[in-house]
Amino acid sequence: MNQKYLLIVFTLFINISIFGQNGEVLENQILQSKVLNKEVKYNIYLPPNYDTIKAYPTIYFLHGFGGNNNSPRTKAIIKQIDSLIINGSFPETIIICPNAGKSWYIDDYAGKEKYATMFISEFMPELKKRYALTKSSQKTVVMGTSMGGFGALRFTMLNPEEFGICVSFMGAISTKKQMVEDLEKYYQRFHAHLYGENLSPKERTNEVYVNNNALYIAEKVDVEILKSKKWYIQTCDDDFHSLPNAALHILFHQKNIEHEFRVTNGKHNKTCVDSSIPDALEFIKNNLTEEK
């Protein structure tokens, strides 16, 4: 093998190792929460050539009901964004995937699980100390599926100082009528620990429910706050939650709030979301690169 050929091979190797490497995923990191009096686990993705001197755009990815920080959907999103970053098709970004259990990212009615308080007052400030996260709300994205979509919408509306871009995939919001008419077995499975045990159907739509449901938060919050954010709302046409998402879309139109609204064919499942992810990531990319 001559020296010229060796030089070419060596150069290619260097280029691949520098420009083609993957980012790093740190799994099952721990924050000791005083609010929850327990450990909160999270996964974090650091882009290639992570530099602690920089301030990276940040995506908080919120898992769905029954999931956690290691769910397949969570890992798939990280892998997809990592591939785009490597190809130069997405800005270098940090992705944080917290474990929220079945909290729905709210403070429950009994004050036993104050997940929302923990997330805003402990989790986010601590991670900004540990990692090179942006301090700009306009470069901070909250994105989630199902229960995570519910949380993404809620966090953006109630904590506008923290988040500038919201992406909700088949967000599991509901109308009051749906909550009242829902079968008892479903209320017990998904919502009783949040809004109250042993409630009559009409009592389910209490203050805790209304104050945490994006459809009703949007009716009360300052419209200028809503207008200052970037919204991507996706739902599935055969989904129980398509009606409230459509109602939120209509409400946003009535209030002249710019947003993207996508209705995908299918039920409340992975297949329905998959086809929307590339479009949503392009939406995030465009809004991150627009902000200076």
Side-chain angles (χ1 to χ4, degrees):
M1 187 180 292
N2 61 45
Q3 289 185 339
K4 182 178 180 181
Y5 183 75
L6 279 171
L7 180 61
I8 292 172
V9 172
F10 180 73
T11 303
L12 286 173
F13 175 78
I14 292 296
N15 286 339
I16 290 170
S17 63
I18 293 176
F19 300 106
Q21 64 181 320
N22 296 92
E24 181 181 14
V25 179
L26 305 176
E27 295 187 346
N28 297 315
Q29 303 301 292
I30 292 174
L31 179 144
Q32 184 63 47
S33 169
K34 294 180 181 179
V35 173
L36 299 180
N37 193 30
K38 66 179 183 182
E39 294 180 347
V40 177
K41 290 185 178 181
Y42 65 93
N43 290 3
I44 183 165
Y45 164 85
L46 304 175
N49 305 310
Y50 171 67
D51 185 348
T52 58
I53 303 301
K54 293 183 178 180
Y56 290 90
T58 306
I59 297 174
Y60 291 88
F61 182 78
L62 311 183
H63 65 76
F65 189 87
N68 56 50
N69 53 299
N70 289 308
S71 295
R73 166 61 61 205
T74 301
K75 293 186 175 183
I77 284 286
I78 289 177
K79 186 176 181 180
Q80 200 162 352
I81 294 176
D82 179 55
S83 178
L84 292 173
I85 291 173
I86 292 170
N87 294 331
S89 303
F90 198 87
E92 292 184 335
T93 303
I94 291 176
I95 308 169
I96 299 166
C97 309
N99 183 8
K102 299 178 180 179
S103 68
W104 289 78
Y105 305 94
I106 74 170
D107 291 358
D108 73 324
Y109 78 100
K112 294 180 180 178
E113 178 107 359
K114 296 184 177 181
Y115 191 91
T117 296
M118 181 283 299
F119 192 84
I120 298 299
S121 68
E122 284 185 327
F123 189 80
M124 292 186 70
E126 178 59 27
L127 265 65
K128 288 177 182 178
K129 293 177 183 177
R130 295 184 184 184
Y131 308 102
L133 309 184
T134 181
K135 291 181 172 58
S136 168
S137 64
Q138 297 307 308
K139 289 193 175 184
T140 303
V141 182
V142 60
M143 171 171 61
T145 61
S146 191
M147 180 184 87
F150 174 103
L153 291 165
R154 178 200 173 281
F155 275 136
T156 307
M157 292 180 185
L158 295 180
N159 304 99
E161 72 284 358
E162 298 289 355
F163 306 103
I165 301 172
C166 175
V167 176
S168 171
F169 295 113
M170 56 184 190
I173 57 177
S174 61
T175 66
K176 292 178 182 178
K177 185 174 185 292
Q178 285 178 321
M179 182 59 71
V180 169
E181 294 179 351
D182 205 13
L183 295 177
E184 182 66 21
K185 65 178 181 179
Y186 294 130
Y187 177 75
Q188 289 298 325
R189 178 183 176 188
F190 295 110
H191 297 119
H193 64 292
L194 303 175
Y195 308 129
E197 307 282 350
N198 304 314
L199 299 182
S200 70
K202 289 186 178 180
E203 290 175 325
R204 296 172 185 171
T205 57
N206 56 23
E207 188 176 8
V208 181
Y209 166 82
V210 171
N211 289 343
N212 285 288
N213 188 313
L215 182 57
Y216 303 110
I217 297 171
E219 292 178 347
K220 299 181 294 182
V221 73
D222 186 344
V223 69
E224 295 305 317
I225 289 176
L226 299 179
K227 287 182 177 181
S228 70
K229 306 304 171 184
K230 308 296 184 181
W231 304 93
Y232 186 101
I233 302 169
Q234 182 267 353
T235 191
C236 310
D237 61 353
D238 294 323
D239 186 0
F240 174 86
H241 301 289
S242 61
L243 177 61
N245 275 278
L248 182 60
H249 164 60
I250 292 170
L251 180 63
F252 272 21
H253 264 299
Q254 291 172 340
K255 291 177 176 287
N256 295 315
I257 299 162
E258 290 187 11
H259 64 290
E260 299 298 323
F261 182 63
R262 303 285 187 271
V263 180
T264 309
N265 182 45
K267 298 181 180 180
H268 192 89
N269 57 34
K270 175 181 179 294
T271 303
C272 177
V273 172
D274 281 348
S275 61
S276 296
I277 289 177
D279 185 49
L281 294 181
E282 185 70 16
F283 170 83
I284 293 173
K285 169 191 170 182
N286 291 340
N287 282 291
L288 286 178
T289 54
E290 282 178 7
E291 296 295 336
K292 302 298 182 183

